[in-house]
Amino acid sequence: MIGHRHAFGAAALALTVVIGVGASAATAYDTAAGDSVPAAARTSDHARLRAILHRLTTVDGGPGALIETRDRRGGMVLTSGVADIRSGVPVRGDSRFRIGSMTKTFVATVVLQLAGERRVALDAPVERYLPGVVRGHGNDGRRITVRQLLQHTSGVPDFLAHLRPQDIVADPLAHHDARDLVNLALAHRPDFEPGTGWRYSNTGYLLAGMIVERVTGHGYGEEIRRRVIEPLGLHATSVPGTDPRIPGPHPRGYVRPGADAPLKDITAVNPAIGGAAGEMISSGNDLNRFLDALIRGGLLRPAQLREMRRTRPTGGDDGRRYGLGLESRPLPCGGVSWGHTGDFLGYETAGGATSDGRQASIMVNLGPGGPDAQSDDLRAALETALCAEGPGHS
């Protein structure tokens, strides 16, 4: 789920490929400037991406996949596999999907905008904005800052660690109130003293969403629409609240409940289980436009963008570092990508952008229950896209 890619445990990692997979398809657009790029380079880059998507939707068991790439000269969409395992209809290039934890980047952007307006202080205690909310079992909002919520350094337990994924899958339309999920987490001791460690916590972003509401008088979803979605014209992006539907063209979302279990359709789900930590819907094109605007300073003032990009290591061996709702990863061709990954019922996603104007976003319509190789494929596709030399790349 949100930040827990393979939540059904080790047994779910043994994949049995039981679905038919359609052939890869490519759609290019806005490539008028692409004639300056050698045809051999374009063909090679596209072939590598097609090979990764084909592996993702065959050997590694994903029903369907999509990647959209863009730079200053244009972009392209590649798809592979099927949007519906029953009908066999292929994945559309303009598909919408649940983006899971990529929601966090939108939420952090709004909080940082409020910081730029001097309505939120990043190093103020959470208690200032949510008096009495973070209390109990050693959790204390007087000792936790807003910055620590956004950077996963608060020590606040992750509510997902105390829910059974099987229960969520069994009743995907059940409503989960954000305050109840926060209280579920706070019934347990902190993971560490605030500021002394790093551990991913969806609870921190539920609290961030509550801070936005307390400061503005509007729900975080309304503020995201007003401050990000509408100014950028992100017509495929939405904050659904409790609506279980995905508007517009979309692939069905699937989970695999066990190693030998067939895929289960979980397209209709009450997204309140994600809330400000992971409820949003978007498309490859919209995610790329959002990341581009964010990285080049179109959404935040310079001081706040610098704060967002002040990162710390996450403890892994992959070079990943986490800022405020934004992570950086080294690219094999040099430099870093800025973006986020996302996992929600039915989908796994990832997006990245570079400071010189390249973006890529990818989706597979399976999760949880996919193998580690699925996440490896998504990362490999992003790196290939962001390092490529063909049209849509620089």
Side-chain angles (χ1 to χ4, degrees):
M1 265 228 354
I2 317 153
H4 293 254
R5 292 177 301 203
H6 312 298
F8 289 111
L13 303 183
L15 264 286
T16 303
V17 181
V18 295
I19 61 174
V21 180
S24 296
T27 303
Y29 57 89
D30 294 342
T31 55
D35 292 340
S36 63
V37 180
R42 297 198 300 267
T43 301
S44 176
D45 294 334
H46 293 175
R48 286 195 292 271
L49 281 173
R50 286 194 186 97
I52 295 171
L53 291 191
H54 182 68
R55 182 173 70 237
L56 182 59
T57 57
T58 54
V59 176
D60 296 330
L66 172 154
I67 187 168
E68 179 149 345
T69 68
R70 178 174 285 276
D71 69 8
R72 298 291 182 255
R73 294 174 295 178
M76 70 173 186
V77 182
L78 293 173
T79 67
S80 181
V82 298
D84 186 324
I85 61 174
R86 292 188 176 182
S87 69
V89 63
V91 176
R92 288 178 48 158
D94 60 350
S95 292
R96 303 178 187 188
F97 42 85
R98 303 191 190 279
I99 65 171
S101 283
M102 294 184 76
T103 300
K104 292 179 173 67
T105 310
F106 286 82
V107 172
T109 298
V110 170
V111 174
L112 284 160
Q113 287 181 349
L114 292 171
E117 297 164 10
R118 300 183 181 276
R119 301 171 71 183
V120 170
L122 293 177
D123 294 311
V126 173
E127 182 76 7
R128 176 184 298 182
Y129 308 103
L130 301 175
V133 171
V134 182
R135 285 285 200 280
H137 298 88
N139 300 285
D140 189 344
R142 295 168 296 187
R143 302 173 55 228
I144 297 169
T145 67
V146 176
R147 183 190 302 275
Q148 289 166 348
L149 294 181
L150 298 181
Q151 198 160 33
H152 302 297
T153 56
S154 69
V156 172
D158 188 351
F159 71 86
L160 282 182
H162 306 289
L163 286 174
R164 280 171 34 92
Q166 294 88 339
D167 294 338
I168 300 172
V169 170
D171 190 7
L173 297 179
H175 178 69
H176 298 269
D177 181 77
R179 185 65 182 269
D180 291 341
L181 294 174
V182 167
N183 289 339
L184 173 65
L186 297 180
H188 303 272
R189 294 197 59 79
D191 292 329
F192 47 79
E193 287 295 308
T196 65
W198 188 92
R199 189 167 183 179
Y200 200 86
S201 175
N202 290 288
T203 312
Y205 273 79
L206 296 186
L207 292 166
M210 293 165 66
I211 289 173
V212 170
E213 182 170 0
R214 182 65 63 91
V215 169
T216 66
H218 305 128
Y220 66 88
E222 183 176 344
E223 290 296 312
I224 289 173
R225 283 188 288 270
R226 184 173 70 85
R227 294 168 174 269
V228 180
I229 294 175
E230 292 175 1
L232 295 182
L234 305 181
H235 301 299
T237 302
S238 59
V239 187
T242 60
D243 190 340
R245 299 167 297 177
I246 300 176
H250 60 275
R252 310 296 297 178
Y254 297 96
V255 298
R256 190 183 296 279
D260 300 316
L263 295 181
K264 176 178 179 178
D265 190 323
I266 198 163
T267 309
V269 58
N270 186 330
I273 185 62
E279 74 163 280
M280 288 180 66
I281 293 166
S282 193
S283 68
N285 182 55
D286 275 12
L287 289 174
N288 286 345
R289 290 171 64 191
F290 166 66
L291 288 172
D292 182 44
L294 179 63
I295 296 306
R296 65 182 172 84
L299 289 170
L300 295 175
R301 298 174 182 178
Q304 280 68 53
L305 184 56
R306 285 194 298 271
E307 294 293 341
M308 189 179 225
R309 293 172 58 156
R310 285 178 57 189
T311 62
R312 59 151 296 151
T314 61
D317 58 3
D318 57 358
R320 182 168 66 110
R321 299 176 65 90
Y322 205 93
L324 304 185
L326 189 69
E327 65 180 24
S328 68
R329 288 179 182 267
L331 289 170
C333 54
V336 300
S337 68
W338 295 95
H340 214 286
T341 57
D343 302 276
F344 199 81
L345 292 167
Y347 304 89
E348 183 175 354
T349 58
T354 63
S355 297
D356 61 357
R358 291 170 286 166
Q359 311 96 44
S361 294
I362 186 169
M363 175 279 306
V364 60
N365 56 336
L366 172 61
D372 287 336
Q374 176 171 296
S375 299
D376 294 340
D377 289 338
L378 265 64
R379 180 178 177 184
L382 273 185
E383 291 178 347
T384 299
L386 293 174
C387 287
E389 299 177 355
H393 312 284
S394 57

